[in-house]
Amino acid sequence: MKEQILSILRQASGYVSGEAICKTLGVSRASVWKAVEKLRQEGYVIESATNRGYRLAHATSRLCLQELLPLLEDCPWKDTVQIVEQVDSTNTRVKALAAQGAPAGTVLIADTQTGGRGRLGRNFSSPSGMGVYLSALLRPSCAPQALMHLTCAVAVAMCDAVEKAVGFRPEIKWTNDLVYRRRKLAGILTELGVEAEIGQVTYAVVGIGINCCQSPEDFPPEIRNKAGSLSMMIERPVNRNQVAAAMIRALERMERTMLTEKAAIMEQYRSDCITIGRQISLVRGEVLRHGQAVGVDADGALLVEFTPGQVETVGSGEVSIQGMYGYL
Ligand code: BTN
């Protein structure tokens, strides 16, 4: 019931009367009061006023530099982090900053995105107050071929970040989804700029969206049984500034090691990846194929036996895992 009350208060623009909450949830005033007290103990600032009801003070869960920067002491990227209330897509905006010469370590975080982008041209739903939508600019000096594993490296870094921030380690669904208990928690979109004439990378923008504070009813019905949030997993509120700080630290570490410690990163990726060893379906254009995922190669491609004994390399396309999970 705590989560339901939180969701009602989050959606409201002002006070919600105790009576309205009781009616919506079909519970007594005393139970509402008890649940509100519990939420307060967990750190939520819930104001109450006679004849008006309850109101969630937005400042509790607001992403803000005031709270974030002290968590980034000693992090070389701390002076190039920005937070905005709303943006079309943090990836699009950071690519524009890259074109204007912004330095490596430029990080943009948004409370909400109006045009959040996912892989394969999909939208990424980015509601306000719920997630961390973050893009970081990298400037590796290498050929694009040396960065084939970049999405995998980001996925491992984000598992590290979630583990650090909230205490459990998500799994990775090849290639770029963080999942836990059959639900998608986060997605990753990496985009490269290449100077064609010299065949060198000019920038890489890595974008990550992590669902932090949603309750099941906060997700649209069509993804409600497939999506999850960090707070649903730990059954406690999640502080988005702490998650964002852990993400930035993990990305900064990844940037330092991604070219020199590729083998170790890919080993960790394989250990986090739940796709390996499963029966999978692969959709490529109009063609649907079934096979057994047997590994992930050094560049992050999935190794699949569509015919027993014959291993093929799958570098793109949509892979679903058969059987075990609702959506995977
Ligand atoms: C996916 O699930 O297909 C990838 C989703 C990536 C979403 C993040 S949110 C921050 C950044 N900005 C975007 O527009 N997309 C990425």
Side-chain angles (χ1 to χ4, degrees):
M1 170 158 62
K2 270 185 323 185
E3 293 301 324
Q4 287 166 302
I5 293 181
L6 207 48
S7 167
I8 292 172
L9 295 180
R10 275 208 180 103
Q11 280 161 32
S13 48
Y15 279 90
V16 189
S17 73
E19 198 187 347
I21 300 176
C22 295
K23 258 199 189 151
T24 311
L25 302 181
V27 296
S28 69
R29 265 175 184 266
S31 332
V32 170
W33 183 83
K34 258 195 203 159
V36 167
E37 279 310 299
K38 274 200 192 141
L39 287 167
R40 283 177 173 148
Q41 281 160 17
E42 288 172 9
Y44 286 101
V45 179
I46 299 174
E47 299 163 352
S48 47
T50 321
N51 296 330
R52 297 181 77 186
Y54 299 101
R55 189 172 79 104
L56 182 66
H58 192 55
T60 29
S61 58
R62 240 185 101 216
L63 280 164
C64 60
L65 287 179
Q66 242 173 341
E67 204 181 324
L68 177 65
L69 292 184
L71 304 173
L72 291 175
E73 281 303 321
D74 311 329
C75 175
W77 288 6
K78 74 170 187 313
D79 296 326
T80 43
V81 177
Q82 297 173 52
I83 298 179
V84 292
E85 291 289 328
Q86 182 175 308
V87 73
D88 49 353
S89 149
T90 54
N91 262 38
T92 305
R93 197 56 67 91
V94 171
K95 283 203 300 187
L97 293 173
Q100 292 162 22
T106 296
V107 173
L108 181 66
I109 306 170
D111 176 57
T112 179
Q113 298 183 115
T114 52
R117 296 187 284 114
R119 277 176 70 240
L120 309 171
R122 294 188 180 132
N123 294 330
F124 186 80
S125 155
S126 317
S128 166
M130 298 289 175
V132 176
Y133 317 112
L134 179 153
S135 298
L137 173 61
L138 315 177
R139 297 235 186 234
S141 12
C142 62
Q145 294 81 350
L147 287 181
M148 297 292 281
H149 69 305
L150 179 58
T151 301
C152 295
V154 176
V156 168
M158 291 306 99
C159 287
D160 294 345
V162 169
E163 190 171 17
K164 178 95 186 155
V166 296
F168 72 89
R169 189 168 184 89
E171 298 157 322
I172 299 169
K173 181 203 165 231
W174 184 86
T175 39
N176 69 335
D177 286 348
L178 263 53
V179 299
Y180 199 63
R181 297 199 192 126
R182 307 178 182 198
R183 290 171 186 273
K184 174 168 170 170
L185 301 176
I188 296 164
L189 179 68
T190 53
E191 299 182 272
L192 288 190
V194 178
E195 176 79 71
E197 280 178 13
I198 52 169
Q200 285 281 302
V201 172
T202 51
Y203 68 81
V205 172
V206 299
I208 306 107
I210 301 189
N211 301 327
C212 293
C213 306
Q214 287 93 335
S215 303
E217 59 273 21
D218 292 320
F219 291 106
E222 61 279 12
I223 59 165
R224 201 165 285 162
N225 64 343
K226 307 172 182 176
S229 69
L230 302 183
S231 70
M232 282 166 61
M233 299 304 152
I234 61 171
E235 297 180 344
R236 273 187 283 119
V238 164
N239 181 320
R240 289 185 298 153
N241 292 295
Q242 284 170 2
V243 174
M247 290 165 75
I248 293 168
R249 284 185 179 279
L251 288 171
E252 189 276 326
R253 213 168 29 245
M254 180 209 77
E255 199 222 14
R256 279 186 278 121
T257 56
M258 66 190 184
L259 296 175
T260 52
E261 293 175 25
K262 185 173 167 184
I265 291 170
M266 290 311 299
E267 214 31 63
Q268 184 61 52
Y269 183 89
R270 289 182 196 102
S271 136
D272 289 327
C273 180
I274 48 162
T275 312
I276 299 170
R278 304 249 190 257
Q279 288 295 319
I280 59 118
S281 306
L282 171 72
V283 181
R284 227 186 228 156
E286 300 283 289
V287 184
L288 171 67
R289 299 172 78 195
H290 303 286
Q292 166 98 4
V294 293
V296 169
D297 76 8
D299 287 331
L302 190 64
L303 302 173
V304 184
E305 278 187 6
F306 291 107
T307 309
Q310 285 177 29
V311 177
E312 293 180 41
T313 302
V314 174
S316 66
E318 190 65 347
V319 165
S320 351
I321 301 173
Q322 297 288 289
M324 273 193 76
Y325 296 103
Y327 97 102
L328 294 172

